[in-house]
Amino acid sequence: MQNFNYHNPTRYVYGPGEHRNIGPLLKPYAQGRILLHYGSGSVIRSGLLQTVKDSLSEHGISYEELGGVKPNPSVELVRKGIELCRREKVQLVLAVGGGSVIDSAKGIAVGAPNSGDVWELYSRKGSIPENEPIPVATVLTLPAAGSENSPNTVLSNEETGRKLGFKHMGLRPVLSIVDPTLFLTLPRAQMAYGACDMMCHIFERYFTNTTQTALTDALAEATMRTIMQQSTLLAADLQNIDAWGQLALSGTVAHNDLLGLGREQSWACHAMEHELSAVYDVPHGGGLAVIIPAYMEAVWPYNPGIFTQWACNVMGVPPHRDTEAVVREGIRRLRAWYHQLGLPQTMRELGVPADADFNAMATAACKVYDRDAATPTLAGVHPLTAEEAAAIYKATI
Ligand code: NZQ
Ligand code: ZN
């Protein structure tokens, strides 16, 4: 197990009806004017935005508002939010929405108190802003990305065609409200994308070469089993509030780094998917569903032990001395779960053309975490070269 330093200060409030308490719950953190940030209309149609505004006003919290965040959120809107926050001296950003809205809110929160273009922080690896971000709070409407409790944000830049992440511990929200009644309006496809994303957040931590991680292995396996069980229940009945609640908690735990404690991490599938969604604007969870099985097929021989453990403990494959058969059956069962959820399994189903420039995407993905190396690679059980990453993309056409 590796050294670690874990600090997770998010006040996490769960339960049906809790979104109505946003005013009193936020009051201790709202020292001045706040920015109310939301997406392209779902929170208006559901009435949630009005409920939030009413609760803020009742508790004397004054706000500016900025809607219009799109999936694969753009740095352009973040720049507008930054200007607004500086002009109105905003002290906190409240995101009401899914991962895209929360990530956009985090971009505004770190950009507002810092001079220079915010994209610089995303495009320069390891960049440290001069000033702390202003606080972020969230009312989650889509359990998927885990941004409600992560220190990460991912933005797209349409001018450069890149989608890049930025991480800062000050971006873990101070407050997140997770109310499963807000998920009842989600279509089945979003539930499926979300479940796939959550699983991958665990895969990126679990499929590495660190040993002596028995506790995080067991927690990760329990969380993966729960995601599969609860999403399967939801595929049959999208109005199952209890299943939404259990899925949402699993999604938060999947990405708040509890399951990464003491471990080396990979993020290879995420780097490869972000290149796809930057260029083809595909849903993050859909892109992952296409890439993950091909990735597993390519890398499992480099650490058969962890893949066998996963196949047996998570996918329910009976132990057998034929390791390859066990791992392949695990991957087959993963594909079957994706199929049951209606997830895409090929580039074609995802809407990515067969003649896409997979070599360029692979080269860019390898440089995300390893820009300065002579031969940049993607970490994991095996350091993937750009050629190997391109072969994985191409195996999914
Ligand atoms: O914009 P609105 O109208 O709100 O519609 C959204 C959007 O079209 C809709 N939606 C959200 N809540 C709804 C709803 N529709 C009906 N009822 C509701 N209750 O769902 C659509 C998708 O929303 P989005 O926020 O884009 O989805 P998700 O939460 O999956 O977030 C995906 C983004 O998160 C990033 C991804 O790359 C992607 O850009 N990620 C962020 C991470 C992080 N910050 O830690 C980690 C992840 O790995 C991921 O990369
Ligand atoms: Zn993800």
Side-chain angles (χ1 to χ4, degrees):
M1 185 159 73
Q2 298 183 341
N3 295 18
F4 62 84
N5 179 338
Y6 186 65
H7 179 61
N8 186 349
T10 304
R11 179 175 298 278
Y12 189 86
V13 179
Y14 168 80
E18 289 293 349
H19 72 278
R20 298 187 183 282
N21 296 324
I22 180 65
L25 287 168
L26 192 65
K27 187 74 179 163
Y29 306 99
Q31 302 302 328
R33 211 163 173 72
I34 72 162
L35 176 69
L36 182 52
H37 198 38
Y38 51 91
S40 303
S42 73
V43 295
I44 300 173
R45 290 191 294 279
S46 67
L48 172 62
L49 188 66
Q50 195 55 51
T51 306
V52 169
K53 286 180 178 178
D54 291 346
S55 183
L56 294 177
S57 299
E58 272 166 35
H59 291 83
I61 302 171
S62 62
Y63 57 84
E64 295 294 322
E65 60 180 289
L66 180 65
V69 180
K70 302 229 158 42
N72 296 322
S74 137
V75 69
E76 246 178 83
L77 188 69
V78 166
R79 290 184 182 123
K80 276 191 198 154
I82 290 170
E83 272 173 39
L84 180 58
C85 286
R86 287 180 184 158
R87 197 171 61 238
E88 302 299 332
K89 306 205 171 5
V90 162
Q91 305 292 320
L92 176 147
V93 187
L94 172 60
V96 182
S100 294
V101 174
I102 301 173
D103 284 3
S104 181
K106 289 177 177 177
I108 296 170
V110 69
N114 285 292
S115 56
D117 182 24
V118 67
W119 185 250
E120 291 283 305
L121 292 172
Y122 289 75
S123 53
R124 261 191 285 118
K125 190 186 156 216
S127 48
I128 301 170
E130 207 179 319
N131 300 309
E132 281 287 305
I134 59 173
V136 174
T138 81
V139 177
L140 186 69
T141 66
L142 198 182
S147 194
E148 69 279 5
N149 193 203
S150 82
N152 309 79
T153 148
V154 188
L155 292 181
S156 293
N157 185 329
E158 279 152 25
E159 280 164 32
T160 61
R162 298 304 308 278
K163 180 174 178 183
L164 295 171
F166 173 69
K167 180 174 180 177
H168 187 286
M169 287 306 155
L171 289 176
R172 275 201 208 266
V174 290
L175 167 74
S176 279
I177 299 181
V178 178
D179 178 342
T181 62
L182 301 180
F183 309 146
L184 297 178
T185 50
L186 282 163
R188 189 178 159 181
Q190 288 297 346
M191 183 280 294
Y193 296 146
C196 180
D197 191 17
M198 294 171 189
M199 280 290 271
C200 191
H201 293 160
I202 306 177
F203 291 161
E204 304 279 24
R205 295 171 165 99
Y206 185 88
F207 291 118
T208 55
N209 294 326
T210 322
T211 56
Q212 310 301 324
T213 49
L215 178 64
T216 50
D217 282 13
L219 293 172
E221 288 160 7
T223 314
M224 288 190 266
R225 288 194 301 269
T226 308
I227 292 166
M228 293 183 70
Q229 285 156 2
Q230 302 305 318
S231 60
T232 301
L233 290 173
L234 285 166
D237 176 13
L238 280 172
Q239 300 302 301
N240 184 338
I241 292 186
D242 185 62
W244 274 120
Q246 295 200 55
L247 184 69
L249 180 57
S250 309
T252 301
V253 172
H255 197 39
N256 70 6
D257 233 6
L258 179 69
L259 307 181
L261 297 185
R263 317 180 78 104
E264 176 195 349
Q265 301 194 13
S266 164
W267 301 102
C269 292
H270 270 69
M272 290 178 67
E273 194 296 310
H274 287 164
E275 294 306 318
L276 272 184
S277 42
V279 180
Y280 294 101
D281 201 21
V282 298
H284 176 59
L288 289 173
V290 173
I291 291 168
I292 290 166
Y295 171 81
M296 288 181 165
E297 274 158 5
V299 303
W300 77 263
Y302 295 96
N303 187 342
I306 192 70
F307 278 91
T308 309
Q309 182 181 314
W310 167 76
C312 297
N313 294 355
V314 180
M315 307 310 290
V317 180
H320 191 276
R321 62 176 181 279
D322 183 349
T323 302
E324 177 165 0
V326 170
V327 175
R328 290 203 180 279
E329 175 61 13
I331 299 172
R332 191 196 67 74
R333 291 181 185 201
L334 181 70
R335 286 187 190 278
W337 174 60
Y338 287 166
H339 180 73
Q340 195 181 12
L341 296 191
L343 287 162
Q345 305 236 5
T346 61
M347 290 291 172
R348 190 194 161 104
E349 286 168 18
L350 194 59
V352 174
D355 63 354
D357 194 346
F358 293 116
N359 293 336
M361 283 193 262
T363 302
C366 287
K367 285 185 181 162
V368 170
Y369 300 111
D370 200 17
R371 176 176 317 190
D372 302 326
T375 308
T377 54
L378 285 165
V381 293
H382 164 70
L384 275 185
T385 62
E387 289 71 31
E388 289 169 318
I392 291 172
Y393 281 128
K394 289 173 193 170
T396 67
I397 292 171

Short mmCIF file of all heavy atoms in Angstrom, two decimals, residues 144-146 154 196-198 200-201 204 255 267 270 273-274 284-285 288, ligand 2:
data_model
loop_
_atom_site.label_atom_id
_atom_site.label_comp_id
_atom_site.label_asym_id
_atom_site.label_seq_id
_atom_site.Cartn_x
_atom_site.Cartn_y
_atom_site.Cartn_z
N ALA A 144 -23.62 10.17 -11.44
CA ALA A 144 -22.77 9.62 -12.50
C ALA A 144 -21.31 9.97 -12.27
O ALA A 144 -20.50 9.12 -11.87
CB ALA A 144 -23.22 10.15 -13.87
N ALA A 145 -20.97 11.25 -12.51
CA ALA A 145 -19.57 11.67 -12.57
C ALA A 145 -18.88 11.70 -11.21
O ALA A 145 -17.65 11.69 -11.13
CB ALA A 145 -19.49 13.05 -13.23
N GLY A 146 -19.65 11.78 -10.13
CA GLY A 146 -19.04 11.83 -8.80
C GLY A 146 -18.48 13.20 -8.46
O GLY A 146 -17.84 13.39 -7.43
N VAL A 154 -13.77 18.79 -15.34
CA VAL A 154 -13.35 18.50 -16.73
C VAL A 154 -14.09 19.46 -17.64
O VAL A 154 -15.32 19.56 -17.57
CB VAL A 154 -13.70 17.04 -17.13
CG1 VAL A 154 -13.09 16.71 -18.49
CG2 VAL A 154 -13.24 16.04 -16.09
N CYS A 196 -22.19 3.25 -15.89
CA CYS A 196 -20.95 2.85 -16.57
C CYS A 196 -19.78 3.72 -16.12
O CYS A 196 -18.67 3.23 -15.88
CB CYS A 196 -21.18 2.96 -18.08
SG CYS A 196 -19.74 2.49 -19.02
N ASP A 197 -20.04 5.02 -15.98
CA ASP A 197 -19.00 5.95 -15.54
C ASP A 197 -18.53 5.60 -14.12
O ASP A 197 -17.33 5.54 -13.83
CB ASP A 197 -19.56 7.38 -15.61
CG ASP A 197 -18.49 8.44 -15.43
OD1 ASP A 197 -17.30 8.13 -15.58
OD2 ASP A 197 -18.86 9.61 -15.17
N MET A 198 -19.51 5.35 -13.23
CA MET A 198 -19.16 5.00 -11.85
C MET A 198 -18.26 3.76 -11.81
O MET A 198 -17.25 3.73 -11.09
CB MET A 198 -20.43 4.64 -11.05
CG MET A 198 -21.39 5.78 -10.85
SD MET A 198 -22.93 5.09 -10.14
CE MET A 198 -23.97 6.53 -10.26
N CYS A 200 -16.33 2.66 -14.05
CA CYS A 200 -14.99 2.94 -14.59
C CYS A 200 -14.15 3.73 -13.59
O CYS A 200 -12.94 3.56 -13.54
CB CYS A 200 -15.10 3.66 -15.92
SG CYS A 200 -13.52 3.74 -16.76
N HIS A 201 -14.80 4.58 -12.78
CA HIS A 201 -14.03 5.30 -11.76
C HIS A 201 -13.37 4.31 -10.79
O HIS A 201 -12.30 4.57 -10.26
CB HIS A 201 -14.93 6.29 -11.01
CG HIS A 201 -15.40 7.40 -11.89
ND1 HIS A 201 -16.50 8.17 -11.61
CD2 HIS A 201 -14.92 7.86 -13.08
CE1 HIS A 201 -16.67 9.06 -12.58
NE2 HIS A 201 -15.73 8.88 -13.48
N GLU A 204 -10.44 2.35 -12.77
CA GLU A 204 -9.20 3.13 -12.93
C GLU A 204 -8.32 3.06 -11.68
O GLU A 204 -7.14 3.35 -11.72
CB GLU A 204 -9.51 4.60 -13.25
CG GLU A 204 -10.40 4.82 -14.46
CD GLU A 204 -9.66 4.78 -15.80
OE1 GLU A 204 -8.59 4.16 -15.88
OE2 GLU A 204 -10.18 5.36 -16.77
N HIS A 255 -15.92 7.75 -6.72
CA HIS A 255 -14.99 8.77 -7.24
C HIS A 255 -14.53 9.78 -6.18
O HIS A 255 -13.93 10.78 -6.52
CB HIS A 255 -15.65 9.49 -8.42
CG HIS A 255 -14.68 10.26 -9.26
ND1 HIS A 255 -13.41 9.79 -9.57
CD2 HIS A 255 -14.78 11.46 -9.88
CE1 HIS A 255 -12.80 10.68 -10.32
NE2 HIS A 255 -13.59 11.70 -10.52
N TRP A 267 -6.40 5.79 -14.98
CA TRP A 267 -7.09 6.83 -15.76
C TRP A 267 -6.84 6.71 -17.27
O TRP A 267 -7.06 7.67 -18.01
CB TRP A 267 -6.81 8.25 -15.21
CG TRP A 267 -7.27 8.30 -13.79
CD1 TRP A 267 -6.49 8.22 -12.67
CD2 TRP A 267 -8.63 8.28 -13.33
NE1 TRP A 267 -7.28 8.15 -11.55
CE2 TRP A 267 -8.58 8.19 -11.93
CE3 TRP A 267 -9.87 8.31 -13.99
CZ2 TRP A 267 -9.75 8.15 -11.15
CZ3 TRP A 267 -11.02 8.27 -13.22
CH2 TRP A 267 -10.95 8.19 -11.82
N HIS A 270 -10.25 6.85 -19.15
CA HIS A 270 -10.78 8.22 -19.13
C HIS A 270 -10.05 9.12 -20.11
O HIS A 270 -10.66 9.89 -20.83
CB HIS A 270 -10.74 8.80 -17.70
CG HIS A 270 -11.98 8.51 -16.94
ND1 HIS A 270 -12.30 7.25 -16.53
CD2 HIS A 270 -13.02 9.31 -16.56
CE1 HIS A 270 -13.48 7.28 -15.92
NE2 HIS A 270 -13.94 8.53 -15.92
N GLU A 273 -11.26 8.22 -23.48
CA GLU A 273 -12.66 8.66 -23.72
C GLU A 273 -12.75 10.16 -23.88
O GLU A 273 -13.51 10.66 -24.72
CB GLU A 273 -13.57 8.17 -22.59
CG GLU A 273 -15.06 8.28 -22.90
CD GLU A 273 -15.57 9.69 -23.10
OE1 GLU A 273 -15.30 10.57 -22.27
OE2 GLU A 273 -16.25 9.94 -24.13
N HIS A 274 -12.01 10.92 -23.09
CA HIS A 274 -12.10 12.38 -23.19
C HIS A 274 -11.70 12.86 -24.58
O HIS A 274 -12.27 13.83 -25.09
CB HIS A 274 -11.23 13.05 -22.11
CG HIS A 274 -11.84 12.94 -20.72
ND1 HIS A 274 -11.12 13.18 -19.58
CD2 HIS A 274 -13.08 12.62 -20.31
CE1 HIS A 274 -11.90 13.01 -18.51
NE2 HIS A 274 -13.10 12.67 -18.93
N HIS A 284 -20.02 10.85 -22.07
CA HIS A 284 -18.84 10.25 -21.42
C HIS A 284 -19.05 8.76 -21.11
O HIS A 284 -18.21 7.92 -21.44
CB HIS A 284 -18.57 11.06 -20.15
CG HIS A 284 -17.48 10.56 -19.28
ND1 HIS A 284 -16.18 10.41 -19.73
CD2 HIS A 284 -17.48 10.18 -17.97
CE1 HIS A 284 -15.43 9.95 -18.72
NE2 HIS A 284 -16.19 9.81 -17.66
N GLY A 285 -20.20 8.41 -20.50
CA GLY A 285 -20.46 7.01 -20.13
C GLY A 285 -20.58 6.11 -21.35
O GLY A 285 -20.22 4.93 -21.30
N LEU A 288 -17.07 5.41 -22.66
CA LEU A 288 -16.38 4.46 -21.79
C LEU A 288 -16.85 3.03 -22.05
O LEU A 288 -16.04 2.09 -22.07
CB LEU A 288 -16.64 4.81 -20.32
CG LEU A 288 -15.95 6.07 -19.79
CD1 LEU A 288 -16.43 6.38 -18.36
CD2 LEU A 288 -14.43 5.95 -19.81
ZN ZN B 2 -15.80 9.36 -15.60
#
